[in-house]
Amino acid sequence: MNLEGRKIIVNKSSKELSELLKSPENYKEFMPDGLQKFETRDNGFKFGLQGMPEIALKIDEVNDQKAILKSASSSLDFTLTATLNPINENQTEVQMLFEGKFNPFIKMMVEKPLQNFINALTDKIEAYK
C-alpha cells in the first residue's frame, strides 16, 4: 500500500530540515491535533492519537534529500519518507510518502486514517516556522 501527501514548499533549506528531522523530540511539533501521548526514544519516538493505537517509529536515515522513518514494531511493516527537494538555499519542496505491507483487511481499515495522518503531518510541516 502506497500513500502520498501533497507537495509543499517549506521556507527552510534542505540542510536545516534534515538537521531538524534527525532529533526525535522535534517530531512532536509535526504531530496532528488529537495527540494524546508522545515519548522520545534513543533513535525514534512513540506517539498516540485519539482513536488510533500507539505507533512507535525509529529514525532510519536522514540526509539532505530525505528522512526515512520505519515502524519499530515487528508486526507492522512500513516506512514513512519525507522527500526533501531543494528549490533554492532558503526553500525546500517536501512530500510525505508512506509505503506499507499490509494484508487486504488491515489495508481497508488503515488506509483512510493513514491518509488523514499524512495530510495532517503535511499541513503541520507547511505551517512550521
Side-chain angles (χ1 to χ4, degrees):
M1 177 174 85
N2 295 326
L3 300 172
E4 293 183 5
R6 62 187 171 84
K7 291 181 180 180
I8 57 170
I9 305 297
V10 178
N11 291 321
K12 292 199 177 303
S13 70
S14 62
K15 184 169 177 44
E16 283 179 280
L17 282 173
S18 65
E19 286 302 313
L20 185 75
L21 296 173
K22 285 179 183 173
S23 300
E25 58 273 3
N26 291 335
Y27 285 85
K28 187 173 185 179
E29 298 288 324
F30 305 128
M31 289 291 118
D33 297 335
L35 182 67
Q36 294 186 318
K37 178 180 185 176
F38 188 91
E39 60 185 52
T40 59
R41 298 172 170 197
D42 288 344
N43 63 341
F45 56 94
K46 184 178 189 177
F47 68 97
L49 297 172
Q50 194 170 341
M52 286 180 65
E54 288 183 2
I55 298 171
L57 295 170
K58 61 183 181 204
I59 300 171
D60 187 55
E61 177 186 352
V62 178
N63 58 45
D64 290 357
Q65 287 89 39
K66 64 187 169 200
I68 301 174
L69 303 176
K70 290 192 172 186
S71 170
S73 167
S74 59
S75 62
L76 293 173
D77 183 9
F78 70 86
T79 58
L80 182 61
T81 303
T83 61
L84 309 176
N85 184 18
I87 295 170
N88 57 45
E89 63 269 3
N90 297 319
Q91 289 186 314
T92 306
E93 179 185 78
V94 178
Q95 184 177 27
M96 302 298 297
L97 305 171
F98 177 91
E99 185 178 332
K101 295 179 179 79
F102 301 122
N103 69 46
F105 178 72
I106 298 291
K107 179 185 175 195
M108 185 179 68
M109 288 179 22
V110 300
E111 192 166 16
K112 186 170 182 175
L114 277 173
Q115 186 67 59
N116 291 340
F117 175 68
I118 290 167
N119 294 343
L121 275 179
T122 300
D123 291 345
K124 291 279 187 167
I125 292 168
E126 187 175 38
Y128 187 75
K129 302 289 182 230

